Amino acid sequence: YKPEKNRRKHEKHQRKPIKASVKTTTFGSVQPSIKQGSQSFGTAISLEEIKSFVKDISDGGNSDITTDVLIQFIIDYPNDVDILAFCIGKIWDFCKANEDYKKSVISTSAPDDILQAMKTHSNNAQVQEQCCGALWALCSSPVNRKIIIRAGASARIIKAFVEHSHNEDVVSTGLGCLRMISPDAEARETISALSGIDHICRAMKVHSDIAWIQRDGCAFLSNCAVDVEKQQVAMATDIEIEVIINAFFNHPNDASVVNGCCFAIKNFTHEESNVRSFRLVDGL
């Protein structure tokens, strides 16, 4: 098999994934095999067999083939949360570790498929965590971020916060992705329309003792505080001021949190009325 060379430039030019068929041996065991065509994976494959098959394929080192196999499983098993969590989790792992995988994944329907899984299983924290993580791993370049944003990631992640604000893993991965996409005006517009800032602030209050949530939360708020293109600064709300200051005082020895807090305060205080609001905080 020779992978196709035309990589995704926009939605209508995305490459078509390789399909797979299922072969049954004379001993009755199920063995998936790659092939071009319209036939998809059979329903007899167990999660353990999928794990073994994905390992064998990924050990071959071809990111296109491995990506296509994972996406086909996601498409073929849309209601199996264990298979979805595994396959999307593998996309997350591969994309974190390898730029080739990011190129392979972003060139397919994967962003849409991941967001559909989030929509279908909005009440499943494991699926939400893996999906947010996979989207986060893909956001390594401006081009990728724009694809992720236009696929609808901003709204879907905010909805994950609404459903799972008490789940540390969902909040951590969701904030990681929002931190990456929130500098984009289109993403901020969606976040604002869904009262996303308030939802993130409430999640920060729930997880006030988790340093990386406070760090990424403050970074997210600092991104939302300023609109560089319009040269505008947002009015700091009471809950934004509260979570920024709480993060500062709760994690005084964590340089990354303190830096995030200071950067958020810096951005907000480009507006004089915000300066007055922060001055009212005791001990600051």
Side-chain angles (χ1 to χ4, degrees):
Y1 166 74
K2 294 182 180 179
E4 298 179 33
K5 299 300 183 181
N6 54 310
R7 314 306 296 168
R8 172 179 179 165
K9 294 185 178 178
H10 47 77
E11 292 294 329
K12 67 180 180 180
H13 287 151
Q14 68 187 42
R15 66 183 176 85
K16 294 181 180 180
I18 304 163
K19 302 289 184 178
S21 62
V22 176
K23 292 182 179 178
T24 304
T25 69
T26 55
F27 301 101
S29 61
V30 178
Q31 296 183 353
S33 63
I34 298 289
K35 72 169 218 168
Q36 278 306 127
S38 60
Q39 185 178 356
S40 61
F41 289 101
T43 58
I45 306 177
S46 69
L47 178 59
E48 290 307 311
E49 287 170 320
I50 288 174
K51 289 180 178 180
S52 177
F53 183 45
V54 169
K55 183 181 185 303
D56 289 343
I57 293 296
S58 62
D59 285 348
N62 189 308
S63 60
D64 281 353
I65 295 177
T66 305
T67 296
D68 290 339
V69 167
L70 289 168
I71 292 171
Q72 193 60 54
F73 278 128
I74 292 169
I75 292 171
D76 284 352
Y77 296 90
N79 297 314
D80 191 315
V81 294
D82 293 327
I83 290 176
L84 287 177
F86 168 74
C87 291
I88 296 171
K90 293 305 291 184
I91 289 175
W92 180 10
D93 291 340
F94 289 142
C95 288
K96 279 193 299 184
N98 192 307
E99 286 296 323
D100 287 341
Y101 272 99
K102 293 178 185 178
K103 294 175 183 177
S104 293
V105 172
I106 206 68
S107 72
T108 68
S109 65
D112 294 327
D113 297 330
I114 290 168
L115 291 169
Q116 182 59 50
M118 293 184 75
K119 181 179 180 180
T120 302
H121 302 285
S122 60
N123 63 343
N124 187 288
Q126 185 184 20
V127 171
Q128 299 300 305
E129 176 201 356
Q130 301 302 317
C131 289
C132 287
L135 294 171
W136 182 10
L138 286 169
C139 289
S140 60
S141 72
V143 173
N144 286 10
R145 287 194 287 274
K146 187 61 73 174
I147 291 172
I148 295 298
I149 291 165
R150 290 182 175 171
S154 307
R156 190 49 55 191
I157 294 171
I158 293 301
K159 290 174 182 177
F161 271 83
V162 174
E163 287 275 344
H164 304 281
S165 62
H166 286 77
N167 186 293
E168 177 186 332
D169 295 328
V170 175
V171 172
S172 295
T173 53
L175 262 179
C177 189
L178 287 176
R179 177 181 180 177
M180 296 294 289
I181 65 177
S182 54
D184 185 275
E186 185 177 345
R188 291 199 305 273
E189 183 177 342
T190 301
I191 291 166
S192 176
L194 294 174
S195 301
I197 292 173
D198 286 344
H199 291 302
I200 271 64
C201 287
R202 284 196 283 271
M204 289 177 68
K205 290 180 69 174
V206 171
H207 303 282
S208 60
D209 59 326
I210 308 299
W212 53 88
I213 289 178
Q214 301 304 304
R215 176 200 64 203
D216 288 348
C218 287
F220 165 80
L221 293 176
S222 67
N223 289 339
C224 293
V226 294
D227 188 324
V228 176
E229 293 178 3
K230 295 181 179 179
Q231 291 293 292
Q232 293 178 346
V233 179
M235 297 290 292
T237 63
D238 290 342
I239 193 171
E240 286 176 295
I241 295 173
E242 178 186 357
V243 296
I244 292 169
I245 299 306
N246 285 347
F248 189 89
F249 286 122
N250 289 338
H251 301 275
N253 298 317
D254 190 310
S256 65
V257 177
V258 172
N259 184 63
C261 294
C262 290
F263 200 77
I265 293 171
K266 174 179 176 290
N267 277 359
F268 273 117
T269 52
H270 286 298
E271 166 61 44
E272 181 60 32
S273 61
N274 289 336
V275 174
R276 293 193 293 270
S277 296
F278 276 99
R279 280 176 176 169
L280 294 175
V281 177
D282 290 337
L284 187 63

